[in-house]
PDB file of all heavy atoms in Angstrom:
ATOM      1  N   VAL A  81      18.417   8.943   0.305  1.00  0.00           N
ATOM      2  CA  VAL A  81      18.872   8.245  -0.899  1.00  0.00           C
ATOM      3  C   VAL A  81      17.998   8.748  -2.077  1.00  0.00           C
ATOM      4  O   VAL A  81      18.449   8.924  -3.207  1.00  0.00           O
ATOM      5  CB  VAL A  81      18.852   6.764  -0.840  1.00  0.00           C
ATOM      6  CG1 VAL A  81      17.451   6.205  -0.635  1.00  0.00           C
ATOM      7  CG2 VAL A  81      19.464   6.048  -1.984  1.00  0.00           C
ATOM      8  N   ARG A  84      19.096  12.377  -3.097  1.00  0.00           N
ATOM      9  CA  ARG A  84      20.349  12.461  -3.893  1.00  0.00           C
ATOM     10  C   ARG A  84      20.137  12.185  -5.344  1.00  0.00           C
ATOM     11  O   ARG A  84      20.940  12.587  -6.168  1.00  0.00           O
ATOM     12  CB  ARG A  84      21.320  11.456  -3.283  1.00  0.00           C
ATOM     13  CG  ARG A  84      21.929  11.919  -1.988  1.00  0.00           C
ATOM     14  CD  ARG A  84      23.184  11.146  -1.602  1.00  0.00           C
ATOM     15  NE  ARG A  84      22.941   9.740  -1.295  1.00  0.00           N
ATOM     16  CZ  ARG A  84      22.610   9.287  -0.111  1.00  0.00           C
ATOM     17  NH1 ARG A  84      22.557  10.124   0.912  1.00  0.00           N
ATOM     18  NH2 ARG A  84      22.398   7.998   0.104  1.00  0.00           N
ATOM     19  N   LEU A  85      19.061  11.531  -5.709  1.00  0.00           N
ATOM     20  CA  LEU A  85      18.738  11.287  -7.124  1.00  0.00           C
ATOM     21  C   LEU A  85      17.759  12.283  -7.661  1.00  0.00           C
ATOM     22  O   LEU A  85      17.242  12.070  -8.765  1.00  0.00           O
ATOM     23  CB  LEU A  85      18.153   9.808  -7.274  1.00  0.00           C
ATOM     24  CG  LEU A  85      19.187   8.701  -6.900  1.00  0.00           C
ATOM     25  CD1 LEU A  85      18.456   7.341  -6.941  1.00  0.00           C
ATOM     26  CD2 LEU A  85      20.347   8.726  -7.786  1.00  0.00           C
ATOM     27  N   LEU A 229      12.269  -4.058  -5.542  1.00  0.00           N
ATOM     28  CA  LEU A 229      13.435  -4.361  -4.732  1.00  0.00           C
ATOM     29  C   LEU A 229      12.996  -4.642  -3.315  1.00  0.00           C
ATOM     30  O   LEU A 229      12.248  -3.889  -2.727  1.00  0.00           O
ATOM     31  CB  LEU A 229      14.366  -3.098  -4.707  1.00  0.00           C
ATOM     32  CG  LEU A 229      15.606  -3.290  -3.804  1.00  0.00           C
ATOM     33  CD1 LEU A 229      16.563  -4.382  -4.268  1.00  0.00           C
ATOM     34  CD2 LEU A 229      16.288  -1.918  -3.635  1.00  0.00           C
ATOM     35  N   LEU A 231      14.376  -5.493   0.499  1.00  0.00           N
ATOM     36  CA  LEU A 231      15.493  -5.460   1.440  1.00  0.00           C
ATOM     37  C   LEU A 231      15.066  -6.145   2.737  1.00  0.00           C
ATOM     38  O   LEU A 231      14.117  -5.675   3.374  1.00  0.00           O
ATOM     39  CB  LEU A 231      15.902  -4.009   1.718  1.00  0.00           C
ATOM     40  CG  LEU A 231      16.104  -3.165   0.482  1.00  0.00           C
ATOM     41  CD1 LEU A 231      15.811  -1.692   0.719  1.00  0.00           C
ATOM     42  CD2 LEU A 231      17.558  -3.276   0.005  1.00  0.00           C
ATOM     43  N   GLN A 256      14.064  -8.170  -7.209  1.00  0.00           N
ATOM     44  CA  GLN A 256      15.413  -8.304  -6.671  1.00  0.00           C
ATOM     45  C   GLN A 256      15.356  -8.386  -5.202  1.00  0.00           C
ATOM     46  O   GLN A 256      14.700  -7.575  -4.528  1.00  0.00           O
ATOM     47  CB  GLN A 256      16.291  -7.131  -7.117  1.00  0.00           C
ATOM     48  CG  GLN A 256      16.445  -6.897  -8.605  1.00  0.00           C
ATOM     49  CD  GLN A 256      17.224  -5.639  -8.902  1.00  0.00           C
ATOM     50  OE1 GLN A 256      18.179  -5.329  -8.222  1.00  0.00           O
ATOM     51  NE2 GLN A 256      16.821  -4.941  -9.972  1.00  0.00           N
ATOM     52  N   VAL A 258      17.702  -8.357  -1.689  1.00  0.00           N
ATOM     53  CA  VAL A 258      18.960  -8.147  -1.017  1.00  0.00           C
ATOM     54  C   VAL A 258      18.804  -8.514   0.408  1.00  0.00           C
ATOM     55  O   VAL A 258      17.975  -7.962   1.150  1.00  0.00           O
ATOM     56  CB  VAL A 258      19.419  -6.676  -1.185  1.00  0.00           C
ATOM     57  CG1 VAL A 258      20.712  -6.466  -0.495  1.00  0.00           C
ATOM     58  CG2 VAL A 258      19.430  -6.237  -2.634  1.00  0.00           C
ATOM     59  N   PHE A 260      20.102  -9.049   4.376  1.00  0.00           N
ATOM     60  CA  PHE A 260      20.949  -8.330   5.376  1.00  0.00           C
ATOM     61  C   PHE A 260      21.165  -9.255   6.611  1.00  0.00           C
ATOM     62  O   PHE A 260      20.209  -9.809   7.060  1.00  0.00           O
ATOM     63  CB  PHE A 260      20.276  -7.060   5.834  1.00  0.00           C
ATOM     64  CG  PHE A 260      20.265  -5.942   4.714  1.00  0.00           C
ATOM     65  CD1 PHE A 260      19.415  -6.012   3.649  1.00  0.00           C
ATOM     66  CD2 PHE A 260      21.161  -4.930   4.846  1.00  0.00           C
ATOM     67  CE1 PHE A 260      19.418  -5.008   2.725  1.00  0.00           C
ATOM     68  CE2 PHE A 260      21.201  -3.891   3.889  1.00  0.00           C
ATOM     69  CZ  PHE A 260      20.317  -3.999   2.819  1.00  0.00           C
ATOM     70  N   TRP A 269      18.397  -0.976   7.259  1.00  0.00           N
ATOM     71  CA  TRP A 269      19.131   0.319   7.061  1.00  0.00           C
ATOM     72  C   TRP A 269      19.984   0.546   8.288  1.00  0.00           C
ATOM     73  O   TRP A 269      21.147   0.958   8.142  1.00  0.00           O
ATOM     74  CB  TRP A 269      18.062   1.426   6.963  1.00  0.00           C
ATOM     75  CG  TRP A 269      18.683   2.832   6.725  1.00  0.00           C
ATOM     76  CD1 TRP A 269      18.845   3.419   5.542  1.00  0.00           C
ATOM     77  CD2 TRP A 269      19.141   3.707   7.728  1.00  0.00           C
ATOM     78  NE1 TRP A 269      19.429   4.657   5.772  1.00  0.00           N
ATOM     79  CE2 TRP A 269      19.601   4.867   7.063  1.00  0.00           C
ATOM     80  CE3 TRP A 269      19.195   3.665   9.113  1.00  0.00           C
ATOM     81  CZ2 TRP A 269      20.129   5.997   7.749  1.00  0.00           C
ATOM     82  CZ3 TRP A 269      19.766   4.772   9.819  1.00  0.00           C
ATOM     83  CH2 TRP A 269      20.195   5.932   9.142  1.00  0.00           C
ATOM     84  N   ASP A 272      23.216  -1.813   8.207  1.00  0.00           N
ATOM     85  CA  ASP A 272      24.246  -1.630   7.144  1.00  0.00           C
ATOM     86  C   ASP A 272      23.674  -0.511   6.219  1.00  0.00           C
ATOM     87  O   ASP A 272      23.106  -0.824   5.138  1.00  0.00           O
ATOM     88  CB  ASP A 272      24.469  -2.913   6.373  1.00  0.00           C
ATOM     89  CG  ASP A 272      25.764  -2.789   5.494  1.00  0.00           C
ATOM     90  OD1 ASP A 272      26.158  -1.700   5.114  1.00  0.00           O
ATOM     91  OD2 ASP A 272      26.319  -3.873   5.235  1.00  0.00           O
ATOM     92  N   THR A 273      23.838   0.747   6.663  1.00  0.00           N
ATOM     93  CA  THR A 273      23.317   1.821   5.879  1.00  0.00           C
ATOM     94  C   THR A 273      23.862   1.908   4.505  1.00  0.00           C
ATOM     95  O   THR A 273      23.144   2.169   3.502  1.00  0.00           O
ATOM     96  CB  THR A 273      23.556   3.174   6.656  1.00  0.00           C
ATOM     97  OG1 THR A 273      22.993   3.102   7.940  1.00  0.00           O
ATOM     98  CG2 THR A 273      22.908   4.332   5.876  1.00  0.00           C
ATOM     99  N   GLU A 274      25.181   1.716   4.365  1.00  0.00           N
ATOM    100  CA  GLU A 274      25.842   1.828   3.042  1.00  0.00           C
ATOM    101  C   GLU A 274      25.245   0.762   2.111  1.00  0.00           C
ATOM    102  O   GLU A 274      25.007   1.111   0.924  1.00  0.00           O
ATOM    103  CB  GLU A 274      27.334   1.677   3.214  1.00  0.00           C
ATOM    104  CG  GLU A 274      28.150   2.028   1.941  1.00  0.00           C
ATOM    105  CD  GLU A 274      28.082   1.013   0.869  1.00  0.00           C
ATOM    106  OE1 GLU A 274      28.037  -0.226   1.226  1.00  0.00           O
ATOM    107  OE2 GLU A 274      28.135   1.354  -0.305  1.00  0.00           O
ATOM    108  N   LYS A 275      25.143  -0.422   2.514  1.00  0.00           N
ATOM    109  CA  LYS A 275      24.572  -1.491   1.678  1.00  0.00           C
ATOM    110  C   LYS A 275      23.168  -1.218   1.290  1.00  0.00           C
ATOM    111  O   LYS A 275      22.757  -1.349   0.145  1.00  0.00           O
ATOM    112  CB  LYS A 275      24.673  -2.877   2.414  1.00  0.00           C
ATOM    113  CG  LYS A 275      24.114  -3.960   1.611  1.00  0.00           C
ATOM    114  CD  LYS A 275      24.322  -5.325   2.391  1.00  0.00           C
ATOM    115  CE  LYS A 275      23.719  -6.527   1.597  1.00  0.00           C
ATOM    116  NZ  LYS A 275      23.871  -7.772   2.317  1.00  0.00           N
ATOM    117  N   TRP A 276      22.373  -0.710   2.242  1.00  0.00           N
ATOM    118  CA  TRP A 276      20.947  -0.420   2.018  1.00  0.00           C
ATOM    119  C   TRP A 276      20.855   0.700   0.977  1.00  0.00           C
ATOM    120  O   TRP A 276      20.163   0.547  -0.039  1.00  0.00           O
ATOM    121  CB  TRP A 276      20.317   0.088   3.303  1.00  0.00           C
ATOM    122  CG  TRP A 276      18.807   0.072   3.361  1.00  0.00           C
ATOM    123  CD1 TRP A 276      18.020  -0.904   3.872  1.00  0.00           C
ATOM    124  CD2 TRP A 276      17.936   1.099   2.895  1.00  0.00           C
ATOM    125  NE1 TRP A 276      16.668  -0.527   3.793  1.00  0.00           N
ATOM    126  CE2 TRP A 276      16.584   0.709   3.110  1.00  0.00           C
ATOM    127  CE3 TRP A 276      18.157   2.342   2.218  1.00  0.00           C
ATOM    128  CZ2 TRP A 276      15.450   1.492   2.825  1.00  0.00           C
ATOM    129  CZ3 TRP A 276      17.018   3.090   1.884  1.00  0.00           C
ATOM    130  CH2 TRP A 276      15.731   2.678   2.196  1.00  0.00           C
ATOM    131  N   GLU A 277      21.587   1.773   1.160  1.00  0.00           N
ATOM    132  CA  GLU A 277      21.466   2.919   0.286  1.00  0.00           C
ATOM    133  C   GLU A 277      22.053   2.651  -1.136  1.00  0.00           C
ATOM    134  O   GLU A 277      21.510   3.101  -2.150  1.00  0.00           O
ATOM    135  CB  GLU A 277      22.062   4.166   0.872  1.00  0.00           C
ATOM    136  CG  GLU A 277      21.270   4.590   2.173  1.00  0.00           C
ATOM    137  CD  GLU A 277      21.616   6.023   2.577  1.00  0.00           C
ATOM    138  OE1 GLU A 277      22.626   6.553   2.136  1.00  0.00           O
ATOM    139  OE2 GLU A 277      20.878   6.533   3.449  1.00  0.00           O
ATOM    140  N   SER A 278      23.116   1.920  -1.186  1.00  0.00           N
ATOM    141  CA  SER A 278      23.751   1.575  -2.506  1.00  0.00           C
ATOM    142  C   SER A 278      22.818   0.592  -3.279  1.00  0.00           C
ATOM    143  O   SER A 278      22.724   0.736  -4.469  1.00  0.00           O
ATOM    144  CB  SER A 278      25.134   0.996  -2.297  1.00  0.00           C
ATOM    145  OG  SER A 278      25.087  -0.202  -1.587  1.00  0.00           O
ATOM    146  N   SER A 279      22.201  -0.313  -2.598  1.00  0.00           N
ATOM    147  CA  SER A 279      21.300  -1.203  -3.217  1.00  0.00           C
ATOM    148  C   SER A 279      20.056  -0.473  -3.819  1.00  0.00           C
ATOM    149  O   SER A 279      19.639  -0.714  -4.925  1.00  0.00           O
ATOM    150  CB  SER A 279      20.768  -2.301  -2.210  1.00  0.00           C
ATOM    151  OG  SER A 279      21.828  -3.089  -1.765  1.00  0.00           O
ATOM    152  N   VAL A 280      19.538   0.443  -3.069  1.00  0.00           N
ATOM    153  CA  VAL A 280      18.409   1.241  -3.495  1.00  0.00           C
ATOM    154  C   VAL A 280      18.832   2.126  -4.704  1.00  0.00           C
ATOM    155  O   VAL A 280      18.148   2.297  -5.716  1.00  0.00           O
ATOM    156  CB  VAL A 280      17.813   2.114  -2.351  1.00  0.00           C
ATOM    157  CG1 VAL A 280      16.721   3.054  -2.914  1.00  0.00           C
ATOM    158  CG2 VAL A 280      17.217   1.210  -1.261  1.00  0.00           C
ATOM    159  N   THR A 281      20.012   2.751  -4.588  1.00  0.00           N
ATOM    160  CA  THR A 281      20.487   3.628  -5.623  1.00  0.00           C
ATOM    161  C   THR A 281      20.636   2.852  -6.936  1.00  0.00           C
ATOM    162  O   THR A 281      20.223   3.305  -8.034  1.00  0.00           O
ATOM    163  CB  THR A 281      21.841   4.251  -5.244  1.00  0.00           C
ATOM    164  OG1 THR A 281      21.689   5.072  -4.083  1.00  0.00           O
ATOM    165  CG2 THR A 281      22.434   5.133  -6.395  1.00  0.00           C
ATOM    166  N   ARG A 282      21.273   1.680  -6.855  1.00  0.00           N
ATOM    167  CA  ARG A 282      21.456   0.900  -8.105  1.00  0.00           C
ATOM    168  C   ARG A 282      20.055   0.512  -8.698  1.00  0.00           C
ATOM    169  O   ARG A 282      19.861   0.606  -9.929  1.00  0.00           O
ATOM    170  CB  ARG A 282      22.225  -0.425  -7.825  1.00  0.00           C
ATOM    171  CG  ARG A 282      23.690  -0.219  -7.671  1.00  0.00           C
ATOM    172  CD  ARG A 282      24.458  -1.551  -7.681  1.00  0.00           C
ATOM    173  NE  ARG A 282      23.989  -2.360  -6.610  1.00  0.00           N
ATOM    174  CZ  ARG A 282      24.611  -2.394  -5.360  1.00  0.00           C
ATOM    175  NH1 ARG A 282      25.584  -1.536  -5.131  1.00  0.00           N
ATOM    176  NH2 ARG A 282      24.178  -3.219  -4.457  1.00  0.00           N
ATOM    177  N   PHE A 283      19.159   0.131  -7.841  1.00  0.00           N
ATOM    178  CA  PHE A 283      17.820  -0.234  -8.307  1.00  0.00           C
ATOM    179  C   PHE A 283      17.127   0.927  -9.032  1.00  0.00           C
ATOM    180  O   PHE A 283      16.551   0.795 -10.119  1.00  0.00           O
ATOM    181  CB  PHE A 283      16.969  -0.787  -7.183  1.00  0.00           C
ATOM    182  CG  PHE A 283      15.530  -1.079  -7.479  1.00  0.00           C
ATOM    183  CD1 PHE A 283      15.155  -2.099  -8.353  1.00  0.00           C
ATOM    184  CD2 PHE A 283      14.483  -0.172  -7.036  1.00  0.00           C
ATOM    185  CE1 PHE A 283      13.846  -2.349  -8.687  1.00  0.00           C
ATOM    186  CE2 PHE A 283      13.196  -0.417  -7.349  1.00  0.00           C
ATOM    187  CZ  PHE A 283      12.864  -1.496  -8.178  1.00  0.00           C
ATOM    188  N   LEU A 284      17.117   2.085  -8.349  1.00  0.00           N
ATOM    189  CA  LEU A 284      16.427   3.235  -8.937  1.00  0.00           C
ATOM    190  C   LEU A 284      17.109   3.694 -10.183  1.00  0.00           C
ATOM    191  O   LEU A 284      16.415   4.039 -11.180  1.00  0.00           O
ATOM    192  CB  LEU A 284      16.437   4.421  -7.896  1.00  0.00           C
ATOM    193  CG  LEU A 284      15.670   4.083  -6.575  1.00  0.00           C
ATOM    194  CD1 LEU A 284      15.654   5.372  -5.686  1.00  0.00           C
ATOM    195  CD2 LEU A 284      14.296   3.644  -6.771  1.00  0.00           C
ATOM    196  N   LYS A 285      18.421   3.584 -10.309  1.00  0.00           N
ATOM    197  CA  LYS A 285      19.111   3.959 -11.518  1.00  0.00           C
ATOM    198  C   LYS A 285      18.818   2.964 -12.691  1.00  0.00           C
ATOM    199  O   LYS A 285      18.998   3.307 -13.810  1.00  0.00           O
ATOM    200  CB  LYS A 285      20.588   4.090 -11.253  1.00  0.00           C
ATOM    201  CG  LYS A 285      20.953   5.375 -10.511  1.00  0.00           C
ATOM    202  CD  LYS A 285      22.482   5.493 -10.389  1.00  0.00           C
ATOM    203  CE  LYS A 285      22.851   6.813  -9.729  1.00  0.00           C
ATOM    204  NZ  LYS A 285      24.336   7.002  -9.678  1.00  0.00           N
TER     205      LYS A 285
END
Side-chain angles (χ1 to χ4, degrees):
V81 66
R84 286 196 291 272
L85 296 175
L229 173 67
L231 308 151
Q256 300 176 38
V258 180
F260 288 75
W269 182 95
D272 194 335
T273 305
E274 192 283 327
K275 180 179 179 179
W276 196 99
E277 295 193 346
S278 63
S279 297
V280 173
T281 298
R282 283 194 298 271
F283 173 71
L284 297 184
K285 286 186 175 181

